Amino acid sequence: MLDTVSVRADFPILAREENGKRLVYLDNAATSQKPRKVLDAIQHYYHFHNANVHRGAYTLAVEATEAYEAGRTAVAGFVNAWAREAVVFTRGTTESINLVASSWGRTNVQPGDRVVVTAMDHHSNIVPWQILCQEKGATLRMVEITEDGRIDLSDFGRALESKPKIVAFPYVSNSLGTVNPVAQLTRLAHAAGAVAVVDGAQAAPHLRVDVQAIDCDFFAFSGHKMLAPMGSGALIAKPALLEAMPPYHGGGEMIERVWDDHATWNKIPHKFEGGTPNVEAAVGLGAAIAYLEQLGMDRVAEHESALARVAIERLTQIESVTIYGPRDHRAGVVPFTYGDIHPHDLATILDRDGVCIRAGHHCTQPLMRRLGVAATARASFYIYNDVDDIDALVSALRKAGELFGVPA
Ligand code: PLP
């Protein structure tokens, strides 16, 4: 396990109290808290180096560009990208997937084509494909999940028989905690002639990602879920695909030459980064990656799966609790319901004890329909959580059970 006492000391927000209680932050799948090193890196950038990036002829602008591009180098190393040019900065997973749907999708998907997603995908890995399919007259096929919350590989195989153009799936489910066999899914997608799009939003913060080993074509993630600022993230893509794709946004910086009636494009990845970029996001993301690498991603993953095991064991002891998702191959995400207490009521009551959990459909409505529930409560762990946090969760839940007269 990680030394959570020293990790917690790095996160100023964790020193605050909630209703007179220690803050127990268990909503990390939604967003993570930020360590002082990230906050300091952003402040340092604004204090000493801020200017608009690229094309600057003065020292400050060169320094700002270096800081921005250092963030790209850090991301490339973190996910073992094919090259620095394979990293396109975006606002996060949602924008990254929309970029692929708009650029690669619009160019390559024709009427009658198929796009495959899974029933455990987040809306941001479903809705962009729905929009694309509606525009192009293509069909979206959703692969079913098994009883124990995994991608149904038989149904995945059947979906591939129609030779889809795109197959998209999550590395880790934000609503079940399932860790999917992404290299295997990618191999199968390629054998069917499709490109593979991996939603890495719940993977990059929590486990060691190697996009070359997965061999996926596109990998999307969000920085704010991994210690970095809101509005940070990237799309990682095979450089040859990026070279062949048309731009996503038109504007400054993404061009090579602009004539009265047409323009030519900048080199990758700048072709996809029109306008003034979020430099602070790249700086913060670089600092977040340095922090995570210092802890070691294998230790981060071990720490969180150990916490998930303890949480599942303790929650199972509460009579009316139902836990969703598989028992193994899971990340530090524990979704549950408690008798007939509405998850929103549960989250509100837990807040009185300083325990922050999320309640709702978690942007996975198709999955909720398959689980037969409108909503679940979800505790999700990160590097600063420990067994004391699980104890706080369990004792706050027992209090809620007493309040609602649900067997505890
Ligand atoms: N995909 C998954 C699996 C997620 O959990 C999330 C966010 O919760 C997203 C995509 C969307 O991420 P963002 O809102 O940062 O773009």
Side-chain angles (χ1 to χ4, degrees), residues 7 23 25 103 115 223 311 399:
V7 172
L23 184 72
Y25 185 76
S103 175
V115 175
K399 276 198 219 165

Side-chain angles (χ1 to χ4, degrees), residues 29-30 92-95 122 124 170 172-174 199 201-202 222 224-225:
T93 308
T94 304
E95 190 181 22
H122 187 280
S124 60
V172 176
S173 158
N174 65 308
D199 172 352
Q202 298 296 343
S222 302
H224 71 92
K225 294 183 195 290

Side-chain angles (χ1 to χ4, degrees), residues 118 167 335:
T118 77
V167 179

